[in-house]
Amino acid sequence: MSPVTPKLTDLTVPVVGAPMAGGPSTDDLVAAVSGAGGLGFLATAYRSGSAVAQSISALRDRGVDRFGANVFVPDSPADHVVDRDAVQAYRDALAPRAAALGVTVPEIPEHSTDAYDEVVAVLVEAAVPWVSFTFGLPSDSDVAALHRAGSSVVITVTDVDDARAAVDRGADVVWVQGPEAGGHRSTFSVHATPPTTPLVELLPAVRAAVDVELIASGGVASGADVARLLDLGANAVAIGTLLLDTPEAGTSGAHRRALNDPAFSETVLTRAFSGRPARGLDNAFHRDLHVLAPPAFPELNTLTGPLRKAAAAQDDPDGVTLWAGTGVAAVTDDPAATVVGRLWAQARGHR
Ligand SMILES: Cc1cc2nc3c(=O)[nH]c(=O)nc-3n(C[C@H](O)[C@H](O)[C@H](O)COP(=O)(O)O)c2cc1C
């Protein structure tokens, strides 16, 4: 008999700590959100299977059993269409900036799904309670393996058609990501223009189209937002940006500084850093490179990596990713448990 998959309705606090790859998500952040009664998510993108396995063991060693892990679904080799000339032109455009930082732009990487396969195998083996997929659908066999392990399969979508496709693929939970969200938009194709329907309209449309549990995310800034999204059909509400400046997050110093600097207040959607559209605070890197960036993920992410790292080492907010959603003005540096507890206390006051 297959094990019973966990339910969002069993959470004492229906607040999810969004996975935030590239530094912000740490074991401490996951433990703090889950410890507050919510659901913390590990980010596995850009990490090795063994590093992910270590995080999972470390969480379990400290008594955290209720948590999720997120993976970025790569294109299948047949679907991976990249204009290598455009990527080469972007590489050339990055060169002067790299030289000024004392680094070189890497060669354009070959496409591979090896890291993804390795991480999914680790998540199946560890029977992680919630496993979420971003940028596409997992294979039928991966869904079946996760279900055999007792995991709840979560798929992040940005429109109603993708929500239906997610449920057809076996999703137990659809994560509805609105255009207000910080970080990457989870369109299923790197070439897609991300939909702009606000979360408060997208969520009820998805609720009407599919009959599974829903997580809603994007621009959440207050308990009133949480209450409204629960009223619109979400079973839990996820926050990313609100956790970025908590002490438990691994957010870079430059990113934290920008979050608290009125000079960096507007958020923009850009492919400049990674080749996929992502929302972050407007900075010089975005302004200089946005119009030149072709749709090519993870190629552009690899090319910009050393530049971003060098800028982070110099504590320069104009050269790093400053992912943030439209609710960024509500960020505080309170501990994650305080942020989650306050949001839920306010939300209950509104229901
Ligand atoms: C710094 C940062 C990193 C993110 N990394 C991921 C990720 O690794 N996987 C993912 O599915 N979503 C990622 N997201 C998007 C979140 O899952 C979520 O949809 C978003 O944070 C919600 O919007 P909010 O930031 O306005 O709360 C990231 C968001 C941020 C701000």
Side-chain angles (χ1 to χ4, degrees), residues 76-210:
S76 69
D79 291 341
H80 191 66
V81 180
V82 165
D83 179 344
R84 287 185 80 87
D85 290 344
V87 176
Q88 184 57 49
Y90 199 67
R91 192 169 174 269
D92 295 343
L94 290 171
R97 218 183 166 86
L101 287 162
V103 296
T104 45
V105 189
E107 295 298 323
I108 303 171
E110 292 306 319
H111 183 64
S112 164
T113 63
D114 293 354
Y116 170 80
D117 294 337
E118 184 190 305
V119 168
V120 172
V122 165
L123 302 180
V124 169
E125 170 71 24
V128 170
W130 278 271
V131 176
S132 79
F133 294 87
T134 297
F135 300 155
L137 300 172
S139 66
D140 286 322
S141 58
D142 284 343
V143 171
L146 286 165
H147 280 160
R148 276 196 302 277
S151 302
S152 177
V153 173
V154 183
I155 300 179
T156 307
V157 306
T158 58
D159 68 22
V160 174
D161 286 347
D162 287 355
R164 288 202 183 93
V167 173
D168 287 349
R169 187 51 59 95
D172 304 285
V173 177
V174 168
W175 180 315
V176 185
Q177 187 202 46
E180 304 87 349
H184 286 107
R185 301 301 313 284
S186 182
T187 52
F188 286 4
S189 164
V190 66
H191 299 280
T193 302
T196 53
T197 308
L199 181 60
V200 292
E201 291 174 31
L202 176 62
L203 175 62
V206 172
R207 177 74 291 165
V210 300

Side-chain angles (χ1 to χ4, degrees), residues 17-25 42-46 70-72 132-135 156 175-178 180-186 216-221 238-244 251 255 279 321-328:
M20 294 191 285
S25 280
L42 281 170
T44 76
Y46 322 127
N70 168 256
V71 278
F72 284 172
S132 79
F133 294 87
T134 297
F135 300 155
T156 307
W175 180 315
V176 185
Q177 187 202 46
E180 304 87 349
H184 286 107
R185 301 301 313 284
S186 182
S217 79
V220 169
I239 51 169
T241 300
L242 286 188
L243 296 170
L244 278 173
T251 311
H255 196 168
R279 183 174 296 284
T321 54
L322 298 175
W323 300 152
T326 57
V328 62

